[in-house]
């Protein structure tokens, strides 16, 4: 564990099985990681696969405060993916759960395992829309306009089972 807590942003997505239930459970699981507290979770969003195939994704973004270091956080998230049955048969394959570290404080990192901030976060409506909901200062109108052609829909809580 690192010594002082850091605010981090995690993107969540799923498009296999009961994706809504999986993302909701993953939010609880992320909040339960050692030395970690959920600060804010976005609503759920439905998005068409982007540079991927398969059914629509259910997406969300979580802002957390964590004492886990960046790689420890990544490994903890990968363990949650495995618990949910995540397989990686090929790049961008449909998935039961996908958890990505988008930001880890102000850390810039480029390693074989992890790049921070996430190198493609600004290209993806399924990250930008929920991020704008929970951390509006981090997302500009120009960034949102640049991804407006990507299909994404806010899911109303009353429409959830």
């Amino acid at each position: 564990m690192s010594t002082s807590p850091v605010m981090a942003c995690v993107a969540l997505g799923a498009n296999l099985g009961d994706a809504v239930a999986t993302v909701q459970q993953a939010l609880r699981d992320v909040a339960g990681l050692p030395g970690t507290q959920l600060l804010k979770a976005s609503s759920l969003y439905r998005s068409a696969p982007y540079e991927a195939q398969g059914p629509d994704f259910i997406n969300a973004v979580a802002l957390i405060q964590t004492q886990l270091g960046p790689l420890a956080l990544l490994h903890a998230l990968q363990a949650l993916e495995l618990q949910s049955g995540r397989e990686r048969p090929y790049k961008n394959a449909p998935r039961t759960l996908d958890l990505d570290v988008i930001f880890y404080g102000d850390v810039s990192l480029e390693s074989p395992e992890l790049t921070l901030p996430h190198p493609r976060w600004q290209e993806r409506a399924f990250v930008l829309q929920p991020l704008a909901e929970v951390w509006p200062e981090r997302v500009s109108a120009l960034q949102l306009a640049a991804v407006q052609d990507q299909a994404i829909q806010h899911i109303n809580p009353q429409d959830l089972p």
Side-chain angles (χ1 to χ4, degrees), residues 11-24 43-60 81 84 86-87 90-100 124-127 130 150-155 160:
L12 304 91
N15 74 335
L16 291 178
D18 186 345
V20 168
T22 298
V23 170
Q24 289 172 326
S43 303
L44 299 183
Y45 290 79
R46 179 180 312 282
S47 66
Y50 178 71
E51 296 180 345
Q53 298 170 353
D56 285 354
F57 276 85
I58 300 300
N59 298 101
E81 290 177 341
S84 77
R86 169 81 187 258
E87 295 177 0
Y90 54 89
K91 183 174 170 59
N92 295 330
R95 55 209 69 161
T96 52
L97 182 61
D98 187 28
L99 301 172
D100 288 325
R124 298 172 168 178
F126 64 83
V127 172
Q150 295 175 31
I152 186 167
Q153 171 189 12
H154 179 266
I155 299 174
L160 295 172

Side-chain angles (χ1 to χ4, degrees), residues 9 11-12 41-45 59-63 124-136 139 144 152 154:
C9 175
L12 304 91
S42 74
S43 303
L44 299 183
Y45 290 79
N59 298 101
V61 163
L63 295 182
R124 298 172 168 178
F126 64 83
V127 172
L128 288 171
Q129 289 279 4
L131 183 59
E133 179 186 327
V134 296
W135 196 3
V139 180
L144 289 170
I152 186 167
H154 179 266

